[in-house]
PDB file of all heavy atoms in Angstrom:
ATOM      1  N   LEU A   1     111.419  72.355 105.978  1.00 98.00           N
ATOM      2  CA  LEU A   1     111.696  72.187 104.555  1.00 98.00           C
ATOM      3  C   LEU A   1     112.940  72.964 104.131  1.00 98.00           C
ATOM      4  O   LEU A   1     113.627  72.583 103.186  1.00 98.00           O
ATOM      5  CB  LEU A   1     110.507  72.643 103.712  1.00 98.00           C
ATOM      6  CG  LEU A   1     109.195  71.868 103.868  1.00 98.00           C
ATOM      7  CD1 LEU A   1     108.151  72.415 102.903  1.00 98.00           C
ATOM      8  CD2 LEU A   1     109.399  70.390 103.654  1.00 98.00           C
ATOM      9  N   GLY A   2     113.211  74.076 104.786  1.00 97.00           N
ATOM     10  CA  GLY A   2     114.360  74.908 104.452  1.00 97.00           C
ATOM     11  C   GLY A   2     114.028  76.027 103.492  1.00 97.00           C
ATOM     12  O   GLY A   2     114.568  77.129 103.583  1.00 97.00           O
ATOM     13  N   CYS A   3     113.127  75.777 102.540  1.00 98.00           N
ATOM     14  CA  CYS A   3     112.743  76.796 101.567  1.00 98.00           C
ATOM     15  C   CYS A   3     111.462  76.363 100.866  1.00 98.00           C
ATOM     16  O   CYS A   3     111.087  75.187 100.882  1.00 98.00           O
ATOM     17  CB  CYS A   3     113.855  77.016 100.535  1.00 98.00           C
ATOM     18  SG  CYS A   3     114.245  75.538  99.560  1.00 98.00           S
ATOM     19  N   LEU A   4     110.786  77.332 100.253  1.00 98.00           N
ATOM     20  CA  LEU A   4     109.589  77.088  99.450  1.00 98.00           C
ATOM     21  C   LEU A   4     109.850  77.678  98.069  1.00 98.00           C
ATOM     22  O   LEU A   4     109.991  78.896  97.925  1.00 98.00           O
ATOM     23  CB  LEU A   4     108.359  77.756 100.073  1.00 98.00           C
ATOM     24  CG  LEU A   4     108.038  77.431 101.538  1.00 98.00           C
ATOM     25  CD1 LEU A   4     106.925  78.341 102.048  1.00 98.00           C
ATOM     26  CD2 LEU A   4     107.650  75.974 101.689  1.00 98.00           C
ATOM     27  N   GLN A   5     109.933  76.821  97.060  1.00 97.00           N
ATOM     28  CA  GLN A   5     110.269  77.300  95.723  1.00 97.00           C
ATOM     29  C   GLN A   5     109.181  78.213  95.170  1.00 97.00           C
ATOM     30  O   GLN A   5     107.993  77.930  95.266  1.00 97.00           O
ATOM     31  CB  GLN A   5     110.476  76.123  94.772  1.00 97.00           C
ATOM     32  CG  GLN A   5     110.807  76.549  93.345  1.00 97.00           C
ATOM     33  CD  GLN A   5     111.168  75.389  92.448  1.00 97.00           C
ATOM     34  OE1 GLN A   5     111.548  74.324  92.920  1.00 97.00           O
ATOM     35  NE2 GLN A   5     111.061  75.583  91.140  1.00 97.00           N
ATOM     36  N   LEU A   6     109.619  79.324  94.574  1.00 96.00           N
ATOM     37  CA  LEU A   6     108.707  80.255  93.909  1.00 96.00           C
ATOM     38  C   LEU A   6     108.626  79.907  92.427  1.00 96.00           C
ATOM     39  O   LEU A   6     109.639  79.589  91.798  1.00 96.00           O
ATOM     40  CB  LEU A   6     109.202  81.689  94.068  1.00 96.00           C
ATOM     41  CG  LEU A   6     109.126  82.278  95.486  1.00 96.00           C
ATOM     42  CD1 LEU A   6     109.931  83.571  95.569  1.00 96.00           C
ATOM     43  CD2 LEU A   6     107.679  82.533  95.882  1.00 96.00           C
ATOM     44  N   ASP A   7     107.430  79.976  91.889  1.00 94.00           N
ATOM     45  CA  ASP A   7     107.231  79.758  90.466  1.00 94.00           C
ATOM     46  C   ASP A   7     106.011  80.568  90.040  1.00 94.00           C
ATOM     47  O   ASP A   7     104.995  80.577  90.745  1.00 94.00           O
ATOM     48  CB  ASP A   7     107.018  78.276  90.155  1.00 94.00           C
ATOM     49  CG  ASP A   7     107.016  78.003  88.654  1.00 94.00           C
ATOM     50  OD1 ASP A   7     108.116  77.844  88.088  1.00 94.00           O
ATOM     51  OD2 ASP A   7     105.926  77.981  88.054  1.00 94.00           O
ATOM     52  N   PRO A   8     106.094  81.268  88.898  1.00 92.00           N
ATOM     53  CA  PRO A   8     105.001  82.164  88.508  1.00 92.00           C
ATOM     54  C   PRO A   8     103.751  81.480  87.982  1.00 92.00           C
ATOM     55  O   PRO A   8     102.690  82.099  87.912  1.00 92.00           O
ATOM     56  CB  PRO A   8     105.642  83.034  87.416  1.00 92.00           C
ATOM     57  CG  PRO A   8     106.704  82.152  86.824  1.00 92.00           C
ATOM     58  CD  PRO A   8     107.244  81.353  87.978  1.00 92.00           C
ATOM     59  N   ILE A   9     103.841  80.210  87.609  1.00 93.00           N
ATOM     60  CA  ILE A   9     102.701  79.530  86.993  1.00 93.00           C
ATOM     61  C   ILE A   9     101.631  79.246  88.043  1.00 93.00           C
ATOM     62  O   ILE A   9     101.926  78.758  89.128  1.00 93.00           O
ATOM     63  CB  ILE A   9     103.144  78.230  86.310  1.00 93.00           C
ATOM     64  CG1 ILE A   9     104.106  78.560  85.167  1.00 93.00           C
ATOM     65  CG2 ILE A   9     101.952  77.440  85.784  1.00 93.00           C
ATOM     66  CD1 ILE A   9     104.823  77.364  84.604  1.00 93.00           C
ATOM     67  N   SER A  10     100.396  79.548  87.719  1.00 92.00           N
ATOM     68  CA  SER A  10      99.301  79.324  88.670  1.00 92.00           C
ATOM     69  C   SER A  10      98.101  78.692  87.977  1.00 92.00           C
ATOM     70  O   SER A  10      96.978  79.185  88.076  1.00 92.00           O
ATOM     71  CB  SER A  10      98.896  80.635  89.352  1.00 92.00           C
ATOM     72  OG  SER A  10      98.534  81.614  88.404  1.00 92.00           O
ATOM     73  N   ALA A  11      98.345  77.603  87.257  1.00 95.00           N
ATOM     74  CA  ALA A  11      97.243  76.879  86.610  1.00 95.00           C
ATOM     75  C   ALA A  11      96.252  76.390  87.649  1.00 95.00           C
ATOM     76  O   ALA A  11      95.049  76.285  87.394  1.00 95.00           O
ATOM     77  CB  ALA A  11      97.793  75.709  85.804  1.00 95.00           C
ATOM     78  N   VAL A  12      96.768  76.090  88.831  1.00 97.00           N
ATOM     79  CA  VAL A  12      95.927  75.705  89.965  1.00 97.00           C
ATOM     80  C   VAL A  12      96.073  76.760  91.060  1.00 97.00           C
ATOM     81  O   VAL A  12      95.112  77.375  91.502  1.00 97.00           O
ATOM     82  CB  VAL A  12      96.327  74.316  90.495  1.00 97.00           C
ATOM     83  CG1 VAL A  12      95.459  73.923  91.691  1.00 97.00           C
ATOM     84  CG2 VAL A  12      96.199  73.268  89.392  1.00 97.00           C
ATOM     85  N   ALA A  13      97.297  76.945  91.522  1.00 97.00           N
ATOM     86  CA  ALA A  13      97.668  77.972  92.487  1.00 97.00           C
ATOM     87  C   ALA A  13      99.179  78.083  92.416  1.00 97.00           C
ATOM     88  O   ALA A  13      99.855  77.211  91.861  1.00 97.00           O
ATOM     89  CB  ALA A  13      97.205  77.606  93.895  1.00 97.00           C
ATOM     90  N   ARG A  14      99.739  79.155  92.977  1.00 96.00           N
ATOM     91  CA  ARG A  14     101.193  79.289  93.001  1.00 96.00           C
ATOM     92  C   ARG A  14     101.807  78.119  93.766  1.00 96.00           C
ATOM     93  O   ARG A  14     101.279  77.692  94.797  1.00 96.00           O
ATOM     94  CB  ARG A  14     101.599  80.613  93.639  1.00 96.00           C
ATOM     95  CG  ARG A  14     101.192  81.852  92.860  1.00 96.00           C
ATOM     96  CD  ARG A  14     102.090  82.098  91.652  1.00 96.00           C
ATOM     97  NE  ARG A  14     103.489  82.266  92.027  1.00 96.00           N
ATOM     98  CZ  ARG A  14     104.038  83.400  92.477  1.00 96.00           C
ATOM     99  NH1 ARG A  14     103.282  84.480  92.649  1.00 96.00           N
ATOM    100  NH2 ARG A  14     105.322  83.458  92.770  1.00 96.00           N
ATOM    101  N   SER A  15     102.927  77.629  93.270  1.00 97.00           N
ATOM    102  CA  SER A  15     103.523  76.416  93.821  1.00 97.00           C
ATOM    103  C   SER A  15     103.786  76.498  95.317  1.00 97.00           C
ATOM    104  O   SER A  15     103.480  75.564  96.063  1.00 97.00           O
ATOM    105  CB  SER A  15     104.838  76.101  93.097  1.00 97.00           C
ATOM    106  OG  SER A  15     105.464  74.980  93.686  1.00 97.00           O
ATOM    107  N   HIS A  16     104.353  77.613  95.797  1.00 98.00           N
ATOM    108  CA  HIS A  16     104.696  77.690  97.222  1.00 98.00           C
ATOM    109  C   HIS A  16     103.460  77.604  98.111  1.00 98.00           C
ATOM    110  O   HIS A  16     103.532  77.071  99.223  1.00 98.00           O
ATOM    111  CB  HIS A  16     105.501  78.961  97.516  1.00 98.00           C
ATOM    112  CG  HIS A  16     104.757  80.239  97.296  1.00 98.00           C
ATOM    113  ND1 HIS A  16     104.551  80.792  96.056  1.00 98.00           N
ATOM    114  CD2 HIS A  16     104.158  81.079  98.171  1.00 98.00           C
ATOM    115  CE1 HIS A  16     103.879  81.913  96.175  1.00 98.00           C
ATOM    116  NE2 HIS A  16     103.617  82.108  97.445  1.00 98.00           N
ATOM    117  N   THR A  17     102.325  78.091  97.605  1.00 98.00           N
ATOM    118  CA  THR A  17     101.098  77.986  98.403  1.00 98.00           C
ATOM    119  C   THR A  17     100.599  76.547  98.438  1.00 98.00           C
ATOM    120  O   THR A  17     100.036  76.103  99.447  1.00 98.00           O
ATOM    121  CB  THR A  17      99.999  78.914  97.855  1.00 98.00           C
ATOM    122  OG1 THR A  17      99.544  78.452  96.571  1.00 98.00           O
ATOM    123  CG2 THR A  17     100.500  80.346  97.730  1.00 98.00           C
ATOM    124  N   LEU A  18     100.819  75.804  97.346  1.00 98.00           N
ATOM    125  CA  LEU A  18     100.427  74.393  97.317  1.00 98.00           C
ATOM    126  C   LEU A  18     101.314  73.554  98.233  1.00 98.00           C
ATOM    127  O   LEU A  18     100.836  72.618  98.882  1.00 98.00           O
ATOM    128  CB  LEU A  18     100.509  73.855  95.891  1.00 98.00           C
ATOM    129  CG  LEU A  18      99.448  74.343  94.902  1.00 98.00           C
ATOM    130  CD1 LEU A  18      99.761  73.848  93.496  1.00 98.00           C
ATOM    131  CD2 LEU A  18      98.052  73.890  95.329  1.00 98.00           C
ATOM    132  N   VAL A  19     102.599  73.886  98.287  1.00 98.00           N
ATOM    133  CA  VAL A  19     103.519  73.149  99.158  1.00 98.00           C
ATOM    134  C   VAL A  19     103.071  73.269 100.619  1.00 98.00           C
ATOM    135  O   VAL A  19     103.056  72.284 101.357  1.00 98.00           O
ATOM    136  CB  VAL A  19     104.965  73.655  98.983  1.00 98.00           C
ATOM    137  CG1 VAL A  19     105.884  73.055 100.045  1.00 98.00           C
ATOM    138  CG2 VAL A  19     105.482  73.304  97.585  1.00 98.00           C
ATOM    139  N   VAL A  20     102.685  74.470 101.009  1.00 98.00           N
ATOM    140  CA  VAL A  20     102.190  74.669 102.374  1.00 98.00           C
ATOM    141  C   VAL A  20     100.863  73.926 102.560  1.00 98.00           C
ATOM    142  O   VAL A  20     100.650  73.244 103.571  1.00 98.00           O
ATOM    143  CB  VAL A  20     102.025  76.166 102.683  1.00 98.00           C
ATOM    144  CG1 VAL A  20     101.353  76.370 104.048  1.00 98.00           C
ATOM    145  CG2 VAL A  20     103.380  76.867 102.658  1.00 98.00           C
ATOM    146  N   PHE A  21      99.955  74.038 101.595  1.00 98.00           N
ATOM    147  CA  PHE A  21      98.665  73.353 101.675  1.00 98.00           C
ATOM    148  C   PHE A  21      98.834  71.849 101.899  1.00 98.00           C
ATOM    149  O   PHE A  21      98.100  71.239 102.690  1.00 98.00           O
ATOM    150  CB  PHE A  21      97.863  73.604 100.389  1.00 98.00           C
ATOM    151  CG  PHE A  21      96.818  72.566 100.102  1.00 98.00           C
ATOM    152  CD1 PHE A  21      95.651  72.515 100.850  1.00 98.00           C
ATOM    153  CD2 PHE A  21      97.009  71.615  99.108  1.00 98.00           C
ATOM    154  CE1 PHE A  21      94.686  71.537 100.604  1.00 98.00           C
ATOM    155  CE2 PHE A  21      96.062  70.644  98.841  1.00 98.00           C
ATOM    156  CZ  PHE A  21      94.899  70.603  99.603  1.00 98.00           C
ATOM    157  N   SER A  22      99.778  71.238 101.210  1.00 98.00           N
ATOM    158  CA  SER A  22      99.987  69.796 101.349  1.00 98.00           C
ATOM    159  C   SER A  22     100.364  69.403 102.767  1.00 98.00           C
ATOM    160  O   SER A  22     100.167  68.253 103.164  1.00 98.00           O
ATOM    161  CB  SER A  22     101.083  69.331 100.376  1.00 98.00           C
ATOM    162  OG  SER A  22     100.699  69.547  99.037  1.00 98.00           O
ATOM    163  N   ARG A  23     100.899  70.356 103.533  1.00 98.00           N
ATOM    164  CA  ARG A  23     101.334  70.060 104.894  1.00 98.00           C
ATOM    165  C   ARG A  23     100.339  70.465 105.976  1.00 98.00           C
ATOM    166  O   ARG A  23     100.288  69.832 107.028  1.00 98.00           O
ATOM    167  CB  ARG A  23     102.662  70.771 105.183  1.00 98.00           C
ATOM    168  CG  ARG A  23     103.880  69.993 104.721  1.00 98.00           C
ATOM    169  CD  ARG A  23     104.288  70.377 103.340  1.00 98.00           C
ATOM    170  NE  ARG A  23     105.446  69.562 102.903  1.00 98.00           N
ATOM    171  CZ  ARG A  23     105.724  69.347 101.628  1.00 98.00           C
ATOM    172  NH1 ARG A  23     104.953  69.832 100.680  1.00 98.00           N
ATOM    173  NH2 ARG A  23     106.767  68.621 101.301  1.00 98.00           N
ATOM    174  N   VAL A  24      99.576  71.518 105.735  1.00 98.00           N
ATOM    175  CA  VAL A  24      98.681  72.010 106.790  1.00 98.00           C
ATOM    176  C   VAL A  24      97.208  71.917 106.417  1.00 98.00           C
ATOM    177  O   VAL A  24      96.339  72.175 107.256  1.00 98.00           O
ATOM    178  CB  VAL A  24      99.029  73.473 107.184  1.00 98.00           C
ATOM    179  CG1 VAL A  24     100.488  73.610 107.557  1.00 98.00           C
ATOM    180  CG2 VAL A  24      98.651  74.466 106.084  1.00 98.00           C
ATOM    181  N   GLY A  25      96.903  71.576 105.165  1.00 97.00           N
ATOM    182  CA  GLY A  25      95.519  71.587 104.710  1.00 97.00           C
ATOM    183  C   GLY A  25      95.112  72.987 104.280  1.00 97.00           C
ATOM    184  O   GLY A  25      95.943  73.881 104.116  1.00 97.00           O
ATOM    185  N   ALA A  26      93.812  73.183 104.084  1.00 97.00           N
ATOM    186  CA  ALA A  26      93.308  74.492 103.653  1.00 97.00           C
ATOM    187  C   ALA A  26      93.680  75.547 104.691  1.00 97.00           C
ATOM    188  O   ALA A  26      93.478  75.358 105.884  1.00 97.00           O
ATOM    189  CB  ALA A  26      91.799  74.438 103.469  1.00 97.00           C
ATOM    190  N   TYR A  27      94.225  76.666 104.220  1.00 98.00           N
ATOM    191  CA  TYR A  27      94.657  77.734 105.131  1.00 98.00           C
ATOM    192  C   TYR A  27      94.433  79.085 104.469  1.00 98.00           C
ATOM    193  O   TYR A  27      94.257  79.186 103.250  1.00 98.00           O
ATOM    194  CB  TYR A  27      96.134  77.566 105.506  1.00 98.00           C
ATOM    195  CG  TYR A  27      97.104  77.802 104.352  1.00 98.00           C
ATOM    196  CD1 TYR A  27      97.792  79.007 104.218  1.00 98.00           C
ATOM    197  CD2 TYR A  27      97.335  76.820 103.391  1.00 98.00           C
ATOM    198  CE1 TYR A  27      98.678  79.220 103.176  1.00 98.00           C
ATOM    199  CE2 TYR A  27      98.216  77.025 102.338  1.00 98.00           C
ATOM    200  CZ  TYR A  27      98.888  78.228 102.238  1.00 98.00           C
ATOM    201  OH  TYR A  27      99.754  78.445 101.196  1.00 98.00           O
ATOM    202  N   ASP A  28      94.452  80.111 105.276  1.00 98.00           N
ATOM    203  CA  ASP A  28      94.287  81.476 104.801  1.00 98.00           C
ATOM    204  C   ASP A  28      95.643  81.995 104.326  1.00 98.00           C
ATOM    205  O   ASP A  28      96.610  82.031 105.100  1.00 98.00           O
ATOM    206  CB  ASP A  28      93.744  82.353 105.941  1.00 98.00           C
ATOM    207  CG  ASP A  28      93.364  83.751 105.479  1.00 98.00           C
ATOM    208  OD1 ASP A  28      93.820  84.177 104.393  1.00 98.00           O
ATOM    209  OD2 ASP A  28      92.629  84.429 106.223  1.00 98.00           O
ATOM    210  N   LEU A  29      95.735  82.412 103.059  1.00 97.00           N
ATOM    211  CA  LEU A  29      96.995  82.899 102.514  1.00 97.00           C
ATOM    212  C   LEU A  29      97.539  84.098 103.278  1.00 97.00           C
ATOM    213  O   LEU A  29      98.743  84.387 103.233  1.00 97.00           O
ATOM    214  CB  LEU A  29      96.819  83.267 101.036  1.00 97.00           C
ATOM    215  CG  LEU A  29      96.554  82.103 100.074  1.00 97.00           C
ATOM    216  CD1 LEU A  29      96.306  82.634  98.667  1.00 97.00           C
ATOM    217  CD2 LEU A  29      97.710  81.126 100.075  1.00 97.00           C
ATOM    218  N   LYS A  30      96.664  84.782 104.000  1.00 97.00           N
ATOM    219  CA  LYS A  30      97.119  85.922 104.797  1.00 97.00           C
ATOM    220  C   LYS A  30      98.100  85.495 105.883  1.00 97.00           C
ATOM    221  O   LYS A  30      98.919  86.295 106.345  1.00 97.00           O
ATOM    222  CB  LYS A  30      95.915  86.632 105.419  1.00 97.00           C
ATOM    223  CG  LYS A  30      95.025  87.353 104.405  1.00 97.00           C
ATOM    224  CD  LYS A  30      93.831  88.011 105.070  1.00 97.00           C
ATOM    225  CE  LYS A  30      92.929  88.701 104.056  1.00 97.00           C
ATOM    226  NZ  LYS A  30      91.720  89.299 104.691  1.00 97.00           N
ATOM    227  N   GLN A  31      98.000  84.226 106.311  1.00 98.00           N
ATOM    228  CA  GLN A  31      98.929  83.722 107.322  1.00 98.00           C
ATOM    229  C   GLN A  31     100.357  83.678 106.768  1.00 98.00           C
ATOM    230  O   GLN A  31     101.320  84.028 107.461  1.00 98.00           O
ATOM    231  CB  GLN A  31      98.502  82.331 107.796  1.00 98.00           C
ATOM    232  CG  GLN A  31      97.146  82.271 108.462  1.00 98.00           C
ATOM    233  CD  GLN A  31      97.146  82.965 109.826  1.00 98.00           C
ATOM    234  OE1 GLN A  31      98.172  83.147 110.458  1.00 98.00           O
ATOM    235  NE2 GLN A  31      95.966  83.362 110.265  1.00 98.00           N
ATOM    236  N   LEU A  32     100.476  83.250 105.517  1.00 98.00           N
ATOM    237  CA  LEU A  32     101.790  83.232 104.878  1.00 98.00           C
ATOM    238  C   LEU A  32     102.280  84.651 104.603  1.00 98.00           C
ATOM    239  O   LEU A  32     103.460  84.969 104.813  1.00 98.00           O
ATOM    240  CB  LEU A  32     101.724  82.422 103.581  1.00 98.00           C
ATOM    241  CG  LEU A  32     103.026  82.265 102.789  1.00 98.00           C
ATOM    242  CD1 LEU A  32     104.138  81.674 103.649  1.00 98.00           C
ATOM    243  CD2 LEU A  32     102.785  81.397 101.553  1.00 98.00           C
ATOM    244  N   ASP A  33     101.376  85.512 104.149  1.00 97.00           N
ATOM    245  CA  ASP A  33     101.737  86.914 103.917  1.00 97.00           C
ATOM    246  C   ASP A  33     102.211  87.581 105.206  1.00 97.00           C
ATOM    247  O   ASP A  33     103.146  88.392 105.190  1.00 97.00           O
ATOM    248  CB  ASP A  33     100.548  87.685 103.346  1.00 97.00           C
ATOM    249  CG  ASP A  33     100.265  87.341 101.895  1.00 97.00           C
ATOM    250  OD1 ASP A  33     101.151  86.761 101.239  1.00 97.00           O
ATOM    251  OD2 ASP A  33      99.151  87.638 101.418  1.00 97.00           O
ATOM    252  N   LYS A  34     101.583  87.242 106.311  1.00 97.00           N
ATOM    253  CA  LYS A  34     101.981  87.804 107.602  1.00 97.00           C
ATOM    254  C   LYS A  34     103.428  87.447 107.921  1.00 97.00           C
ATOM    255  O   LYS A  34     104.214  88.301 108.364  1.00 97.00           O
ATOM    256  CB  LYS A  34     101.052  87.297 108.707  1.00 97.00           C
ATOM    257  CG  LYS A  34     101.396  87.775 110.114  1.00 97.00           C
ATOM    258  CD  LYS A  34     100.396  87.227 111.127  1.00 97.00           C
ATOM    259  CE  LYS A  34     100.682  87.750 112.532  1.00 97.00           C
ATOM    260  NZ  LYS A  34     101.974  87.254 113.077  1.00 97.00           N
ATOM    261  N   LEU A  35     103.793  86.194 107.676  1.00 98.00           N
ATOM    262  CA  LEU A  35     105.168  85.764 107.942  1.00 98.00           C
ATOM    263  C   LEU A  35     106.167  86.486 107.039  1.00 98.00           C
ATOM    264  O   LEU A  35     107.294  86.785 107.458  1.00 98.00           O
ATOM    265  CB  LEU A  35     105.288  84.250 107.728  1.00 98.00           C
ATOM    266  CG  LEU A  35     104.599  83.366 108.762  1.00 98.00           C
ATOM    267  CD1 LEU A  35     104.574  81.924 108.279  1.00 98.00           C
ATOM    268  CD2 LEU A  35     105.304  83.459 110.107  1.00 98.00           C
ATOM    269  N   LEU A  36     105.744  86.782 105.811  1.00 98.00           N
ATOM    270  CA  LEU A  36     106.623  87.432 104.845  1.00 98.00           C
ATOM    271  C   LEU A  36     106.731  88.936 105.065  1.00 98.00           C
ATOM    272  O   LEU A  36     107.831  89.488 105.147  1.00 98.00           O
ATOM    273  CB  LEU A  36     106.121  87.165 103.429  1.00 98.00           C
ATOM    274  CG  LEU A  36     106.513  85.837 102.785  1.00 98.00           C
ATOM    275  CD1 LEU A  36     105.610  85.534 101.602  1.00 98.00           C
ATOM    276  CD2 LEU A  36     107.976  85.863 102.353  1.00 98.00           C
ATOM    277  N   TRP A  37     105.583  89.598 105.144  1.00 97.00           N
ATOM    278  CA  TRP A  37     105.583  91.062 105.049  1.00 97.00           C
ATOM    279  C   TRP A  37     105.385  91.777 106.377  1.00 97.00           C
ATOM    280  O   TRP A  37     105.708  92.966 106.475  1.00 97.00           O
ATOM    281  CB  TRP A  37     104.512  91.513 104.055  1.00 97.00           C
ATOM    282  CG  TRP A  37     104.453  90.694 102.803  1.00 97.00           C
ATOM    283  CD1 TRP A  37     103.350  90.108 102.269  1.00 97.00           C
ATOM    284  CD2 TRP A  37     105.535  90.349 101.917  1.00 97.00           C
ATOM    285  NE1 TRP A  37     103.661  89.425 101.117  1.00 97.00           N
ATOM    286  CE2 TRP A  37     104.999  89.557 100.871  1.00 97.00           C
ATOM    287  CE3 TRP A  37     106.901  90.638 101.905  1.00 97.00           C
ATOM    288  CZ2 TRP A  37     105.783  89.060  99.832  1.00 97.00           C
ATOM    289  CZ3 TRP A  37     107.679  90.121 100.870  1.00 97.00           C
ATOM    290  CH2 TRP A  37     107.125  89.349  99.855  1.00 97.00           C
ATOM    291  N   GLU A  38     104.880  91.090 107.400  1.00 97.00           N
ATOM    292  CA  GLU A  38     104.706  91.713 108.718  1.00 97.00           C
ATOM    293  C   GLU A  38     105.772  91.219 109.695  1.00 97.00           C
ATOM    294  O   GLU A  38     106.583  92.006 110.188  1.00 97.00           O
ATOM    295  CB  GLU A  38     103.304  91.437 109.261  1.00 97.00           C
ATOM    296  CG  GLU A  38     102.184  92.069 108.441  1.00 97.00           C
ATOM    297  CD  GLU A  38     100.812  91.755 109.015  1.00 97.00           C
ATOM    298  OE1 GLU A  38     100.700  91.557 110.234  1.00 97.00           O
ATOM    299  OE2 GLU A  38      99.844  91.696 108.226  1.00 97.00           O
ATOM    300  N   ASP A  39     105.761  89.927 109.976  1.00 98.00           N
ATOM    301  CA  ASP A  39     106.757  89.379 110.897  1.00 98.00           C
ATOM    302  C   ASP A  39     108.145  89.358 110.275  1.00 98.00           C
ATOM    303  O   ASP A  39     109.147  89.443 110.979  1.00 98.00           O
ATOM    304  CB  ASP A  39     106.385  87.950 111.302  1.00 98.00           C
ATOM    305  CG  ASP A  39     105.030  87.856 111.969  1.00 98.00           C
ATOM    306  OD1 ASP A  39     104.504  88.912 112.388  1.00 98.00           O
ATOM    307  OD2 ASP A  39     104.498  86.735 112.075  1.00 98.00           O
ATOM    308  N   ARG A  40     108.194  89.226 108.976  1.00 98.00           N
ATOM    309  CA  ARG A  40     109.444  89.144 108.217  1.00 98.00           C
ATOM    310  C   ARG A  40     110.339  88.015 108.722  1.00 98.00           C
ATOM    311  O   ARG A  40     111.566  88.121 108.739  1.00 98.00           O
ATOM    312  CB  ARG A  40     110.175  90.495 108.235  1.00 98.00           C
ATOM    313  CG  ARG A  40     109.294  91.595 107.641  1.00 98.00           C
ATOM    314  CD  ARG A  40     109.923  92.947 107.565  1.00 98.00           C
ATOM    315  NE  ARG A  40     108.960  93.913 107.028  1.00 98.00           N
ATOM    316  CZ  ARG A  40     109.241  95.167 106.733  1.00 98.00           C
ATOM    317  NH1 ARG A  40     110.462  95.634 106.908  1.00 98.00           N
ATOM    318  NH2 ARG A  40     108.310  95.967 106.247  1.00 98.00           N
ATOM    319  N   ALA A  41     109.678  86.950 109.127  1.00 98.00           N
ATOM    320  CA  ALA A  41     110.384  85.728 109.509  1.00 98.00           C
ATOM    321  C   ALA A  41     110.832  84.962 108.269  1.00 98.00           C
ATOM    322  O   ALA A  41     111.648  84.045 108.357  1.00 98.00           O
ATOM    323  CB  ALA A  41     109.486  84.852 110.370  1.00 98.00           C
ATOM    324  N   LEU A  42     110.266  85.333 107.115  1.00 98.00           N
ATOM    325  CA  LEU A  42     110.618  84.752 105.828  1.00 98.00           C
ATOM    326  C   LEU A  42     110.937  85.881 104.856  1.00 98.00           C
ATOM    327  O   LEU A  42     110.444  87.005 105.012  1.00 98.00           O
ATOM    328  CB  LEU A  42     109.468  83.918 105.271  1.00 98.00           C
ATOM    329  CG  LEU A  42     108.916  82.777 106.135  1.00 98.00           C
ATOM    330  CD1 LEU A  42     107.643  82.219 105.507  1.00 98.00           C
ATOM    331  CD2 LEU A  42     109.953  81.683 106.316  1.00 98.00           C
TER     332      LEU A  42
END
């Protein structure tokens, strides 16, 4: 995708988490956090 847009509105969930959900199905948000804050691949 190249990027995941950030948006503060969470009437359902934060947009970037929904974008990932649409591609992989239900997932643990810790997996995304790991890429951001531990692996720092993002």
Side-chain angles (χ1 to χ4, degrees):
L1 296 183
C3 61
L4 306 171
Q5 179 173 339
L6 291 167
D7 189 84
I9 297 168
S10 57
V12 179
R14 294 283 301 278
S15 176
H16 65 281
T17 68
L18 288 173
V19 171
V20 173
F21 157 73
S22 297
R23 275 92 182 156
V24 306
Y27 68 101
D28 188 342
L29 292 176
K30 291 179 181 177
Q31 298 291 338
L32 181 55
D33 287 343
K34 178 179 183 294
L35 289 169
L36 277 162
W37 317 128
E38 295 179 29
D39 301 344
R40 301 182 182 186
L42 304 171

